[in-house]
Structure formats: C-alpha cells, structure tokens
Amino acid sequence: MSGIKKDNTEEKILNAAQTVFIKKGMDGSRMQEIADEAGINKALLHYYFRTKQKLFEAIFKKVFKHTFPNIGEFMLSDLPIEEKLATFIEKYISLLLKNPFFPAFIIKEISRDPDFLATVIKSQGVNPNKLFEMFENEMEAGRIIRMDARDLMINILALSIFPFVAKPLINIMFFGNDKKTYNAFLKKRKESVKEFILNSILIR
Amino acid sequence: MSGIKKDNTEEKILNAAQTVFIKKGMDGSRMQEIADEAGINKALLHYYFRTKQKLFEAIFKKVFKHTFPNIGEFMLSDLPIEEKLATFIEKYISLLLKNPFFPAFIIKEISRDPDFLATVIKSQGVNPNKLFEMFENEMEAGRIIRMDARDLMINILALSIFPFVAKPLINIMFFGNDKKTYNAFLKKRKESVKEFILNSILIR
DNA sequence: GTCTATATGGCGATAGAC
DNA sequence: GTCTATCGCCATATAGAC
C-alpha cells in the first residue's frame, strides 16, 4: 500500500472498496457499505466508477498484482538455486503476512468470472516458461532432483499460500481459534517451508 | 430420512442446490435458479427448507464432510509411516479428482460465516491431536525428521488441496487453459506429491 | 464534486387456491 | 405437496438541486 497520504476522494473510495470487497467479496458487498466506509454517499461512488462491476475490477487488479507479484527478477538471476528459493519463500510469505486476506479474496473471485481473470493475467504479462526453463537447467546440472517443473512451482505456491487461504479453518482446527498463536506460527513457516522444499529437492 | 418410499423432491432440491451453490456460492446463488435447476418453483424450496440460509447450511455440511473426510482410521493404524502417507495422499487426491470444486466452495464460504464454520467443525468431531501425537512418535523413533507436526499436516493438505482451489488460475497460467491437460497433470500429482513429501521427511 | 431523493428491478419469503 | 400471485424490502443506478 502507498505510504503517502492522498486526501482525494477517489483514493478514499479505493481504500474503502478494498476493505469491503476483501472482507465480503463482490456478491456479498454493498455499495452503501463502501460509501459508509469511505465517509461519502452512494451517488458519489457511481460518479467516480459508474458501476459496481467497474469498481470491483479496479480493486481486483490491484490486489492481484500484490498477491502474484513479478518474481522473475531474482528467480532468473545468477544466484545459486537454494538462495533463489530461500529468498523467494521468505519474501513471499512476508508479503502475505502483511496482506493476509489477499489470497482468499483472489481465490474467492477467480471462479466467479474466469474470462475477467484471463484478461487480468494477460495484462500482467505473466510468462512462467522462463521459470520452468530455469528449473530444468538446475535439474540438468544435477543440483536439484528431476521432476515436473510445474509440480515444483505449484508446490512452492501451495506451501506458501494455502495457510493463508484456509486461515479460518486451520485456525479453528489446529490452533483453538487463537489468532496470535496462528500468526506466530505463520512467521515461523518462512523457515519451515524453505527447509521442507530444499530437503525434498536439493542434491547435496 | 425415511428409507424406502423416498419422496424424491427433497433429493432433487438438494442436488440442484449443491450444483448452484458450488458454482456461485451462497451470496451469488438465487433461489429461482435452484428451483429451475430442480424443475420446481420457488415456493416449494421454502416449503422444504424454509429459508435460503437453512438450505445452504445443509449443502455446506454435506460438502464439508466429503472435503475433509475422517482420516483417523488408517492414519492411526499400525502401518509404516510411508505407507500411511502414501495411502492418504493417493486416496485424498482421488477423492478431490471426483469432486474438484468442493475445496474452492469450502474456502469461499469459510470466511463468510466463521461461527457457522466452527459449529460444523465441532459437529464433525475433528480432533487432530492424535494425529499430531502419531507424527511426533515417528519423529521420536527417528523415522521422519523433526519438525512441527502442524506444519507437516498443513503441508500435506496444502500440496493436495491447493491445485484444486486455484484450478482456474493455474490452468490459465501454466496449462494454456486446456482442461484435459490439467486433469491429466492432477492425476500424476498423486505420485509426485507423495514423492515430494517423503523425500523431504523420511529418514532412510 | 457532492449531496438528497427517487426510479427501477430483483430477491427472499408468504398467502392461499387446488 | 405443489402451484400462481404477490408482498415488502433492499440493491444498483440515476436525476437533479446546490
């Protein structure tokens, strides 16, 4: 989120919409609630964004970019593979700890409107092929075990994201609904996920 | 319910409600749509289930039981740990392959009504403590590496469930939106997830 | 740009005939 | 049990004053 405080109405609306949409999703949110959260009235929402759908799409794109940031930069760098993975997992889980509700929000909405999802992904310019090539080179060089690169990438994402996606469920089942304990646990996971993955794939 | 001369209207409603609720969630579903799907009229829905909320709860409980079945039976058996894990992962991913939309449905709704979620979990009699004890015994015996048993359990669930939860996203990003390819990939994952986990934790 | 008031349609739920 | 008709409310969106 931007640290700069802009007092203009559009930004107040965007912040309010993000708060409400993330909590209740597109279908569960009400324009009145967003207006209240922003401290304005409903008509003004429509003045700025015309429809609920357009307002929602603005929020979705913004949140999507945060939840799936561009990881190409250092994942395609010259660092050794264990450092690349360690850095990515640490940075990524830290990012999710700052925005713990982003993943569930994205998951909630991706099945609602697949066409829109496809548009967003394309506008992001996501191209995982280079990532797969990088993994395959590491396998070829005998530094990690041979496996489907897509499996590996999905495993990394799953281990990082799932605990946030299933947060309320896991919190009740495994942590007696104590949020502080669960948050401490998630912080520790930065280490444990890294070890779990490297244990599995690294050839030493 | 009454076993033999089953009035099948109730069943038609439940099937229709499951279809619609799983696709659109509680907020996105309309009673009219469920009635159409069941080939009856709205009034009859209310005659059988009184409110949308009650109908939804019936579906949620049913789907929840399928998505998180009782795994205590053979996970607490006398089999060696690698067989327990292998069997669980294989059975669980097979189950999800038969019901690929169940996980996303559960995830979508768990944050909407946490109190109801807590009720459902309690009514399931879920008690993971014995599972954690089992894992800790295996660590004590030196058969698997030492780690937080909750991390291990979450990792197993994450690797199995996440590819189904994020299905539309992964399908577009990694598989060119070709559903057949992705389904074949998910079948293979039964093996690859098993290997990934055992590689990581097994002491040989 | 921002407000109040209102149009317009849709939804969950019920009444009441059969 | 099943239907048609309708109620009462609430949601998105717009009109129009300031």
Side-chain angles (χ1 to χ4, degrees), chain A residues 6-55:
Chain A
K6 279 192 187 167
D7 218 17
N8 60 4
T9 304
E10 187 167 338
E11 192 145 342
K12 275 197 291 186
I13 292 175
L14 285 171
N15 287 335
Q18 181 172 312
T19 304
V20 175
F21 277 140
I22 281 185
K23 197 151 77 185
K24 311 205 170 177
M26 165 69 173
D27 292 332
S29 298
R30 300 290 160 247
M31 292 297 264
Q32 184 61 59
E33 198 177 351
I34 295 171
D36 293 346
E37 178 78 25
I40 55 165
N41 61 73
K42 273 191 302 180
L44 213 47
L45 293 181
H46 287 98
Y47 176 79
Y48 276 87
F49 289 92
R50 267 196 51 227
T51 66
K52 183 185 181 186
Q53 177 68 22
K54 285 186 195 304
L55 177 55

Side-chain angles (χ1 to χ4, degrees), chain B residues 9 40-41 43-44 47-48:
Chain B
T9 300
I40 55 166
N41 61 74
L44 212 48
Y47 176 80
Y48 276 87

Side-chain angles (χ1 to χ4, degrees), chain A residues 137-182:
Chain A
N137 287 338
E138 297 290 338
M139 294 174 201
E140 202 65 40
R143 287 190 284 270
I144 62 175
I145 60 166
R146 289 196 179 278
M147 66 185 294
D148 189 322
R150 295 168 301 187
D151 267 313
L152 178 51
M153 193 62 230
I154 289 171
N155 290 355
I156 294 168
L157 291 175
L159 292 169
S160 304
I161 296 175
F162 184 79
F164 292 92
V165 166
K167 194 169 185 175
L169 188 66
I170 294 176
N171 198 22
I172 295 176
M173 290 206 301
F174 295 170
F175 294 87
N177 222 357
D178 177 4
K179 284 176 189 181
K180 282 190 183 174
T181 312
Y182 191 42

Side-chain angles (χ1 to χ4, degrees), chain A residues 105-123:
Chain A
F105 170 73
I106 300 292
I107 294 296
K108 216 188 298 194
E109 306 299 339
I110 57 180
S111 59
R112 209 183 49 83
D113 191 346
D115 293 339
F116 175 57
L117 174 67
T119 313
V120 173
I121 290 175
K122 270 170 199 160
S123 78

